[in-house]
Amino acid sequence: MRAGFLGAGHIARALAEGWRRDAPQASSGVILSVYDPVPERARSFAAQFDAQACASPAALANLSELV
């Protein structure tokens, strides 16, 4: 599954962290993407959670099955 986060703030980080911690086998098949209007925050999220940082919400939507 391809999941996308609109925003890389505290809530998105908590969700991604909990997802990875609580279901490591299930999340291994999940590909994460993130968009944030502050590019550095998106890059930081992407590095921490092995996600793809997107340049726009439209790019995020195109990569995601779940937003």
Side-chain angles (χ1 to χ4, degrees), residues 27-62:
S27 66
S28 64
V30 175
I31 300 168
L32 298 178
S33 300
V34 62
Y35 165 77
D36 195 281
V38 179
E40 181 51 41
R41 196 164 31 197
R43 287 190 294 269
S44 171
F45 182 100
Q48 182 176 357
F49 296 106
D50 191 28
Q52 179 176 350
C54 297
S56 70
L60 175 80
N62 286 335

Side-chain angles (χ1 to χ4, degrees), residues 2-31:
R2 299 180 70 85
F5 288 94
L6 277 170
H10 296 294
I11 293 173
R13 288 176 184 275
L15 287 169
E17 189 174 297
W19 199 346
R20 298 286 189 201
R21 182 190 63 232
D22 292 341
Q25 289 81 17
S27 66
S28 64
V30 175
I31 300 168

